[in-house]
Amino acid sequence: DLYVRKVARVVGPLKGKTLAVWGLAFKPNTDDMREAPSLDILPRLVKMGAKIQAYDPEAMGTAKRLLKGVRYCPNPYEAARGADALLLLTEWNEFKEVDFGRLKSLMRSHAVVDGRNLYDAAEMTARGP
């Protein structure tokens, strides 16, 4: 509930918005989807009219069986292409070393809703819009 409300607060009305989702698994380094936040969050966002573009290094095969209405992408940058916001749901190491310049060039808007506190808020703010 809290995360979905936060996304709506950051992005505005979700109908027609494209959201990049990084991380679908319950925790990094696994394809375990049991109790994964994505199982609750993504269906609610889809129901609110958002278009979801998701990437997870391990769990997409399992996620495809559990989450409908999601476009699964081959890498994090493709998931971010044209996105109005990036939602971080699992703290995979590869997301720590992202090329933020490339990411900014791909996204429509530069909003990041970090659900795992992977990124330093002050550093992200300093990167600018």
Side-chain angles (χ1 to χ4, degrees), residues 34-71:
R34 293 173 295 162
E35 300 182 36
S38 62
L39 295 174
D40 293 322
I41 293 169
L42 271 53
R44 293 177 70 190
L45 295 172
V46 168
K47 187 175 181 178
M48 295 170 79
K51 298 173 188 171
I52 306 295
Q53 301 178 163
Y55 171 74
D56 187 288
E58 297 289 333
M60 288 197 303
T62 304
K64 286 177 184 178
R65 293 191 307 273
L66 301 171
L67 293 167
K68 303 302 177 202
V70 174
R71 179 177 160 242

Side-chain angles (χ1 to χ4, degrees), residues 99-114:
D99 178 343
F100 285 102
R102 181 176 178 195
L103 183 64
K104 283 175 76 170
S105 74
L106 292 169
M107 293 179 67
R108 185 173 312 144
S109 173
H110 304 130
V112 176
V113 184
D114 182 356

Side-chain angles (χ1 to χ4, degrees), residues 1 9 11 15 23 38 44 49 55 61 67 71 73 89 97 105 112 125-126:
D1 243 11
R9 192 170 55 249
V11 178
K15 187 171 178 73
S38 62
R44 293 177 70 190
Y55 171 74
L67 293 167
R71 179 177 160 242
C73 299
L89 298 182
E97 301 177 20
S105 74
V112 176
T125 301

